Amino acid sequence: MQTSRAESLLLLAVAALDSNLAAGQSAATIEDCVRCDMHVERIATFGGDERDYDIRHGDRKLVRLQDSTFLAVPFTADHILRLDHHGNKLAVIGRPGSGPGEFRNINTLTLGPGDSIWVHEHTRLQVLGPDGAYVRSVELAVTPLTVLPAGPDAYLMAVEILTPELAGYPLHILDKASGKLRSFADGPIVRDPNRPTSVYRTIEVAGKVAVTSSWKRYELTYWQLPEMTRTRVLRRDVDWFPPDDFTPWPGPASAMPPKPNLFALDIDNWSHTWVVVNRAADDWRPNPDDDTHGRATANGHYRKAIIERIDPQEGRVVGRAILPNTEVIGFAGDALVYSYRESPAGAILVDVWQLTPNPS
């Protein structure tokens, strides 16, 4: 076990790198599949009226460990829950505070190398062992949406840095030893100060491969780590996910269906990329009493989730599942997604879904 002394990594230098596609390289269209439906089974539910905890809403708030227990960020975001698949609380990791092994506002929870637990909050990353014991801290000097391992000596971050040099560069590699920050763009350098989400990115890492995507376009960019060399771009052309240029709806939100978004990514053990898209439910309708894009069905849901499994080498979809009346928030592991709903009494319930190919 390493010392608990925090490793302060200062930003000593910044290198903004132009990551335009190499000459002759262009985005390839992802081919669709004809019969690739996946079986969906709910395997766990957390929270509810009889539990003394709620799980916080958002991606990377729930992960499954190799022993089939789960780690979850509760609503207070100042500790971590270890749960069994029945939803029973097995242990509490950490406590409120700002010291080693203490938390104030957990943003993301990620499994790192060797089943280590990466806990990111604001500008600090804490690494815990598989047993939840404190290992080390890293001061990031920026406030990323997500931070993931980019090899043993670097970190990949998705963050908007509001400086003249880096505005519009959504991806950054932080070198552990030197503290140098290298910044990258996965397309034209565009930043709309009125819409900062234009540079938000969903990211995932598996070994020496990273995949990134805008929330508003079904376009996957692949990178080789730690050099952050762009290797390929795949684009999905479907009428249910038109690219969004972040223009506002021409009317009140309550009269418009929610736009689709690419909310989460995962890379499985077969190097396939899993994509979660949330879009308006088929029976969406306006609700004059709701100014956040309304509700659709009688049970209050207004979205549906589309989960696709993509083989990036062949550039085609190899699996698909659709969860009607459900908004999927993130991946809890390979072929595991989780969604949120409310009980009739208003308690938060988190459902975990296992996705498996149907026998052909």
Side-chain angles (χ1 to χ4, degrees):
M1 193 65 64
Q2 299 186 28
T3 177
S4 62
R5 181 177 62 84
E7 302 170 13
S8 181
L9 300 181
L10 301 178
L11 298 181
L12 302 179
V14 172
L17 306 181
D18 182 4
S19 299
N20 291 328
L21 288 171
Q25 187 182 6
S26 60
T29 300
I30 301 172
E31 297 181 5
D32 206 347
C33 59
V34 178
R35 298 183 61 185
C36 62
D37 291 343
M38 292 186 288
H39 175 70
V40 182
E41 179 184 5
R42 184 166 55 196
I43 63 168
T45 297
F46 302 119
D49 301 318
E50 299 179 356
R51 301 294 184 185
D52 63 352
Y53 65 84
D54 287 327
I55 295 179
R56 195 165 197 177
H57 187 278
D59 186 22
R60 301 187 185 275
K61 302 297 189 295
L62 181 75
V63 295
R64 186 170 69 173
L65 300 175
Q66 292 183 9
D67 64 2
S68 296
T69 62
F70 290 82
L71 298 179
V73 179
F75 184 77
T76 56
D78 56 9
H79 61 279
I80 301 168
L81 301 174
R82 188 187 294 269
L83 308 168
D84 66 17
H85 72 280
H86 298 295
N88 300 312
K89 189 188 299 183
L90 302 178
V92 173
I93 298 173
R95 61 185 180 183
S98 56
E102 297 177 343
F103 312 103
R104 291 195 180 278
N105 188 14
I106 298 173
N107 185 41
T108 63
L109 191 64
T110 304
L111 292 185
D115 228 10
S116 59
I117 304 166
W118 287 38
V119 188
H120 163 232
E121 49 178 348
H122 196 53
T123 61
R124 183 174 67 160
L125 170 69
Q126 293 196 65
V127 179
L128 312 179
D131 59 353
Y134 175 83
V135 178
R136 67 179 185 274
S137 295
V138 178
E139 293 300 330
L140 303 172
V142 293
T143 307
L145 294 172
T146 311
V147 53
L148 298 175
D153 302 314
Y155 307 94
L156 173 62
M157 302 183 295
V159 57
E160 180 187 26
I161 300 177
L162 297 177
T163 65
E165 297 83 10
L166 294 181
Y169 287 87
L171 304 168
H172 311 270
I173 291 283
L174 178 62
D175 182 76
K176 179 179 177 181
S178 68
K180 292 182 179 180
L181 193 72
R182 294 179 293 143
S183 302
F184 302 83
D186 52 3
I189 308 301
V190 177
R191 178 181 176 270
D192 183 349
N194 297 318
R195 293 182 174 273
T197 55
S198 62
V199 295
Y200 285 2
R201 292 296 182 270
T202 303
I203 65 175
E204 184 55 276
V205 169
K208 294 185 177 181
V209 175
V211 58
T212 65
S213 178
S214 167
W215 290 2
K216 296 298 184 180
R217 293 176 180 270
Y218 200 149
E219 185 172 284
L220 309 175
T221 303
Y222 291 84
W223 311 79
Q224 182 74 25
L225 296 172
E227 298 84 3
M228 204 63 176
T229 302
R230 185 156 45 173
T231 58
R232 68 171 62 88
V233 179
L234 300 178
R235 179 182 298 123
R236 187 92 161 92
D237 292 325
V238 285
D239 56 6
W240 44 264
F241 199 148
D244 181 17
D245 59 359
F246 296 89
T247 56
W249 284 118
S254 60
M256 303 291 175
K259 294 182 179 182
N261 63 71
L262 198 156
F263 202 83
L265 294 169
D266 187 51
I267 302 175
D268 64 20
N269 290 331
W270 292 270
S271 299
H272 290 169
T273 304
W274 294 67
V275 178
V276 167
V277 172
N278 290 304
R279 63 180 303 268
D282 294 334
D283 56 352
W284 182 93
R285 63 176 182 269
N287 182 350
D289 297 324
D290 189 334
D291 63 357
T292 58
H293 301 295
R295 293 293 186 266
T297 58
N299 62 4
H301 294 293
Y302 65 106
R303 288 184 182 269
K304 75 174 182 181
I306 301 173
I307 301 103
E308 293 191 323
R309 184 184 185 186
I310 296 168
D311 184 336
Q313 295 298 327
E314 297 188 9
R316 64 185 181 92
V317 179
V318 296
R320 179 184 299 113
I322 297 177
L323 278 68
N325 300 325
T326 304
E327 183 176 18
V328 170
I329 304 302
F331 288 93
D334 283 355
L336 283 180
V337 297
Y338 63 98
S339 61
Y340 282 66
R341 58 187 171 95
E342 292 184 3
S343 72
I348 296 175
L349 294 162
V350 175
D351 296 314
V352 181
W353 307 87
Q354 178 78 57
L355 309 175
T356 54
N358 281 324
S360 56

